[in-house]
Amino acid sequence: MPQVPAPLRRLLPLSQTLAPAPLLHLSRRLFSSPAFVSLRALAYRGQPAGRRHHPRRESSTLRKAPKEEEMDGGANKEVVFNRKRAEGRDAGKRGSMELKTRRLNPVNTTCYVQILGTGMDTQDTSPSILLFFDKQRFIFNAGEGLQRFCTEHKIKLSKIDHIFLTRVCSETAGGLPGLVLTLAGIGDEGMSVNIWGPSDLYFLAGAMRSFIPNRAMLHTHSFGVEGNVSSSQSKDSVVILDDEFVRISAIFVKPRYESEANSLEDIDLKPGDTAIVYACELPEIKGKFDPAKAAALGLKPGPKYRELQLGNSVQSDQFDKMVHPNDVLGPSIPGPTVLLVDCPTQSHMQELFSLQALSCFYENSSDQTEWQESPSSVTKSVDYQSWMKKFGATQHIMAGHETKNIEIPILKGSARISSRLNFVCPQLFPSSGFWPVETANGVTEKNMYTSLETCESVPAQNLLKFHLRPYAQLGLDRASIPSLFTYEDIVEELISEIPEVREVPERVRKFWHHNPDDRSTLASVGSMMMVEEPWISQNSDKLADGTHLQEIVQRKHAKDNQEIPTCVENSTREDMEITFLGTGSSQPSKYRNVRQLKRRFGVNGADEAVKSLRCISISHIHADHHTGLARVLALRSKLLKGVPHKPLLVIGPRPLERFLKAYSTLEDLDMQFLDCRHTLKPSVEAFLSENVNESALPQLENTMFAPGSRMENFNRKPASPRDTTSLNNLKEVLQESRLEILYSVPVVHCPQAFGVVLRAMEKNSAEKVIPGWKLVYSGDTRPCPELIDASRDATVLIHEATFEDSMKDEAIARNHSTTKEAIEVGTSAGAYRIILTHFSQRYPKIPVIDEVDMEKTCIAFDLMSVNLADLPVLPKVVPHLKVLFKDELVAEEADEIEEAVMY
């Protein structure tokens, strides 16, 4: 299990989980939110520089300086940005979001159920189940990672008609907001889907509406009664969908506690505790038509034969009598039934076992399939195994978190690139993406069984199918299951494709090949000359003027031979480490995503990281930045239940508080919220110095959001009342993390968007005082003076770089930055190292960046860990990483994502 340095565990710059906004894990106990690209941003196409005509001020959405100038002064630099987007007025034309209607296939030649997502990557979310018909699709549960899984395996999300939740919580619905927003961005009008769940769904829909702009995106349908369901009501099934092809009914399962003497009415249940068993019943298969019997009853061949086959009675052509279907049809074959059982805890077991609505499925059920999404701790118990045996010959498929699945990454694209990066540079990529079974809290598969008399069942595997139609194919189908692969397989494949990669790990290792206690050798590492490999510039070794790129690199290296900051030169590996848990933007892709704690730290290590969190910072209220936050908070609350601890501090924009308050009706989040506008630098400095006064909290007069400025709308709504309890909590967090200050910086992206600055305390040595390091994270933003000022002399600036340099107009329209703009911000501010992240899905593996800009800059990859002591060598490693992609053109993966969603 990976060990996170002891003093570095509780702070994270975190993002969401939904889409791939860059998520960082700062191993000094903090989470901070990254970036977001709008799904349906307004399109802007400007004229070439120098020929732009500026429209009248009243109608302009683009703000820029009257002349171009270098960003060297910060405060005097005019910001070029999309004002409507920054003010939240860029909604544009709203699609109807009407539900699609399909013409059902009367034959339905194909029908099956299929598992979507089970394995190491989803150990804290429920697997999804697909029920497939020719013209209808149903998905049960939409946990985190569903959209990314479907993208990789070409499962068409636009074909989904209905989504059913077995419980309303982050475990089963963590991926739902992202899926809803993705569908809303398809085509001119957008698409939507029916979402079904118990009455608790009302609370989830209310929370989602706090950030989903168009109410038409959410077509939610709740069933059952409001509040607690009585014992008698919970034992009855509720039919929620019934057509000629499938009948879907829901059965309530509520926890029962022995201390309450089996009295459900006396239990104070929280919304989200109710589990649902879904029964999907297909109609019977009519018997074979017998023409001889029809002729004997006086029928002539013709339309009446068809009517009888459809189940309708007809008049005999020769006799005065009615002919009924059972007169001419052979015996019918009962239709198959699919039961989806979610029994999340042992407290639900007794209620599940006593459900009268399930009794009709016991015994005589050879055409039944039961998909179990319950955890192994429940399904392996003696009582549960005995209950399963009541179903007779039913095919049981266990889709819960089988321990052996921990070592199986479900996303091969992600595991493949993680393994390759780990092979080339394990110093920055310590995780290979594979974890042994033994890391799962020390529990092995054989210890999970409590009885040798287990009911026969099949463990779920990704894309495992069970055919329901045609009847001749009834049964399991393993043909679609992805082939297993190992780290060794991936490395062997890499060496076969790129033989020269064998030497790269040794070249990279030399950057760290020095005595860690000898600081002079660290300085020498920082001044080492990087020798470019031939493949780096094989097609572009000369610039337009004929100058060799190698000459430019050498010239710029001599010019930029920066002195290593004292805080870096005197650092230890325990001081600070940044882990990038996601480096993409907008939608998830195969290679870049968002929160991936388990892929980086393993199942057990991720739980330890979540438990030790003390602060999470969210930059702005865009879905790919914050919707995964609820899952992190709920998981931490669960892991620390019964253990003395303090609430987790969440710093974010005010709309985030509304989302969390609405969501907290479903699950315990155990957090304290602090408005970003109460963490501006003057406010925090005043509070930390214990000189708080009304004029200092908040102070916007000297920012771009001051009254009378073009961003005055930022302060249209009053800030929430100052919470001194949360500020005191922040003060404790800073002291425990040895941070001098943490403060928010207003940036230009959308209403209430912020960057964040962290500065460590000074260290005293026998000879001198060593300044603390300074870390700045931009969030999503256009280049702006406020961020430049905040980044002065930063040790590390982490800046979004959504678009390549040729797409500056689109960057302006969407209030993002190009790679060159991000580098210029860091250069203007005198930052020692610049790390670029939040790349568009156009650049799924490595973005397009001018090599001459890379002497102090590094490209972030998913699961990359950067230690403070590694900063001197960081830019010099990037050229060696590019060997992994030398044979691959920069792909438009956005097209691949759209194909996976649409067709």
Side-chain angles (χ1 to χ4, degrees), residues 339-593:
L339 293 178
L340 292 104
V341 180
D342 183 1
C343 185
T345 70
Q346 294 185 354
S347 299
H348 289 77
M349 288 171 55
Q350 291 306 314
E351 176 71 4
L352 175 65
F353 300 161
S354 65
L355 291 175
Q356 296 300 317
L358 290 177
S359 60
C360 61
F361 302 114
Y362 295 153
E363 299 295 343
N364 301 320
S365 51
S366 58
D367 290 337
Q368 285 182 187
T369 306
E370 185 190 28
W371 294 72
Q372 299 276 354
E373 293 196 355
S374 310
S376 296
S377 60
V378 171
T379 60
K380 303 303 182 185
S381 68
V382 175
D383 291 342
Y384 200 93
Q385 291 289 314
S386 298
W387 175 75
M388 288 171 58
K389 291 178 181 179
K390 290 184 178 182
F391 291 91
T394 293
Q395 175 69 71
H396 297 278
I397 301 175
M398 313 306 291
H401 301 310
E402 301 292 314
T403 309
K404 65 180 181 180
N405 286 339
I406 291 174
E407 59 184 345
I408 305 173
I410 70 172
L411 299 172
K412 188 172 183 177
S414 173
R416 184 170 176 265
I417 196 169
S418 295
S419 297
R420 289 182 168 213
L421 288 167
N422 170 260
F423 172 76
V424 169
C425 183
Q427 297 84 356
L428 297 181
F429 302 93
S431 171
S432 67
F434 290 83
W435 296 93
V437 170
E438 289 71 24
T439 61
N441 298 314
V443 180
T444 59
E445 185 73 21
K446 64 181 180 181
N447 294 330
M448 299 297 291
Y449 290 85
T450 58
S451 171
L452 296 177
E453 300 291 331
T454 57
C455 180
E456 183 176 352
S457 62
V458 173
Q461 294 175 275
N462 286 311
L463 303 184
L464 172 69
K465 291 181 181 179
F466 190 96
H467 284 283
L468 305 171
R469 293 280 195 269
Y471 184 77
Q473 297 180 9
L474 184 72
L476 292 168
D477 179 1
R478 294 182 169 86
S480 300
I481 297 175
S483 58
L484 297 180
F485 57 98
T486 65
Y487 174 81
E488 290 73 20
D489 294 334
I490 294 174
V491 171
E492 183 179 349
E493 174 193 63
L494 172 62
I495 294 175
S496 175
E497 291 178 4
I498 312 172
E500 59 267 38
V501 80
R502 290 178 182 271
E503 290 76 33
V504 174
E506 177 59 25
R507 294 174 189 163
V508 171
R509 188 185 66 83
K510 290 179 179 178
F511 293 129
W512 279 269
H513 188 61
H514 65 280
N515 182 353
D517 295 325
D518 185 354
R519 292 300 160 192
S520 63
T521 58
L522 178 59
S524 66
V525 170
S527 61
M528 288 174 63
M529 173 62 68
M530 167 59 65
V531 179
E532 300 281 358
E533 298 298 325
W535 53 264
I536 293 179
S537 55
Q538 57 186 358
N539 296 321
S540 57
D541 59 340
K542 291 185 178 181
L543 301 182
D545 61 359
T547 306
H548 281 272
L549 179 62
Q550 184 68 22
E551 296 176 22
I552 295 292
V553 172
Q554 291 175 353
R555 255 196 334 254
K556 290 186 74 69
H557 177 82
K559 178 182 177 181
D560 190 61
N561 188 13
Q562 285 185 298
E563 181 180 351
I564 298 176
T566 306
C567 63
V568 176
E569 191 174 15
N570 293 273
S571 66
T572 70
R573 301 199 71 82
E574 295 292 310
D575 286 343
M576 186 267 284
E577 186 170 275
I578 307 164
T579 296
F580 292 84
L581 301 177
T583 58
S585 68
S586 187
Q587 297 168 310
S589 75
K590 289 192 297 185
Y591 304 107
R592 293 187 185 273
N593 198 49

Side-chain angles (χ1 to χ4, degrees), residues 245-266:
F245 304 113
V246 65
R247 172 190 172 106
I248 300 179
S249 54
I251 307 167
F252 295 87
V253 184
K254 286 189 170 289
R256 175 181 294 177
Y257 301 98
E258 295 181 3
S259 60
E260 298 293 340
N262 296 337
S263 175
L264 290 177
E265 290 81 4
D266 295 334

Side-chain angles (χ1 to χ4, degrees), residues 608-682:
E608 292 301 317
V610 170
K611 287 194 294 185
S612 62
L613 279 175
R614 286 300 315 277
C615 181
I616 293 178
S617 175
I618 301 295
S619 63
H620 61 289
I621 188 83
H622 275 164
D624 61 339
H625 285 256
H626 75 273
T627 54
L629 174 60
R631 182 62 195 148
V632 174
L633 295 174
L635 179 60
R636 179 180 181 271
S637 178
K638 180 180 177 181
L639 292 172
L640 293 176
K641 189 174 183 179
V643 178
H645 65 280
K646 294 181 179 179
L648 184 63
L649 181 64
V650 175
I651 302 174
R654 191 182 179 196
L656 178 65
E657 184 178 21
R658 294 195 291 270
F659 166 72
L660 294 175
K661 282 185 176 179
Y663 191 90
S664 63
T665 58
L666 288 170
E667 296 183 272
D668 291 324
L669 300 184
D670 191 21
M671 63 90 189
Q672 282 185 336
F673 186 82
L674 183 56
D675 193 322
C676 280
R677 288 180 289 185
H678 293 160
T679 60
L680 299 178
K681 188 177 182 181

Side-chain angles (χ1 to χ4, degrees), residues 134-364:
D134 290 334
K135 294 294 184 178
Q136 282 183 303
R137 311 283 194 277
F138 307 89
I139 278 185
F140 296 84
N141 288 339
E144 292 180 359
L146 172 64
Q147 192 175 171
R148 191 180 189 190
F149 179 87
C150 291
T151 297
E152 178 158 325
H153 294 286
K154 311 278 187 204
I155 295 170
K156 318 307 179 189
L157 292 172
S158 65
K159 303 294 185 183
I160 304 301
D161 299 273
H162 302 270
I163 295 176
F164 298 89
L165 301 179
T166 60
R167 279 174 289 135
V168 183
C169 60
S170 58
E171 183 179 349
T172 60
L176 189 59
L179 179 56
V180 168
L181 289 169
T182 296
L183 292 174
I186 294 176
D188 294 332
E189 293 298 317
M191 305 180 71
S192 188
V193 65
N194 286 292
I195 304 168
W196 299 82
S199 56
D200 304 342
L201 182 61
Y202 170 82
F203 299 104
L204 177 62
M208 289 172 62
R209 286 191 176 102
S210 66
F211 63 88
I212 290 182
N214 191 343
R215 295 180 67 89
M217 294 181 187
L218 288 177
H219 291 271
T220 57
H221 311 272
S222 58
F223 47 82
V225 296
E226 297 295 334
N228 288 345
V229 179
S230 69
S231 179
S232 61
Q233 289 171 317
S234 67
K235 294 179 185 298
D236 298 329
S237 61
V238 177
V239 177
I240 54 180
L241 192 147
D242 192 0
D243 58 31
E244 60 267 43
F245 304 113
V246 65
R247 172 190 172 106
I248 300 179
S249 54
I251 307 167
F252 295 87
V253 184
K254 286 189 170 289
R256 175 181 294 177
Y257 301 98
E258 295 181 3
S259 60
E260 298 293 340
N262 296 337
S263 175
L264 290 177
E265 290 81 4
D266 295 334
I267 298 177
D268 184 17
L269 295 175
K270 190 176 183 66
D273 287 344
T274 302
I276 301 295
V277 173
Y278 287 103
C280 307
E281 302 172 77
L282 274 64
E284 66 179 10
I285 301 173
K286 302 293 184 181
K288 187 176 181 181
F289 181 79
D290 191 336
K293 288 184 178 181
L297 293 171
L299 289 175
K300 298 178 181 179
K304 292 183 179 180
Y305 279 22
R306 177 61 175 168
E307 289 297 316
L308 288 166
Q309 293 179 52
L310 292 175
N312 302 320
S313 299
V314 298
Q315 176 68 43
S316 172
D317 295 324
Q318 299 180 11
F319 309 113
D320 185 17
K321 61 181 297 185
M322 295 295 293
V323 180
H324 304 288
N326 58 0
D327 295 331
V328 295
L329 298 178
S332 297
I333 302 173
T337 299
V338 178
L339 293 178
L340 292 104
V341 180
D342 183 1
C343 185
T345 70
Q346 294 185 354
S347 299
H348 289 77
M349 288 171 55
Q350 291 306 314
E351 176 71 4
L352 175 65
F353 300 161
S354 65
L355 291 175
Q356 296 300 317
L358 290 177
S359 60
C360 61
F361 302 114
Y362 295 153
E363 299 295 343
N364 301 320

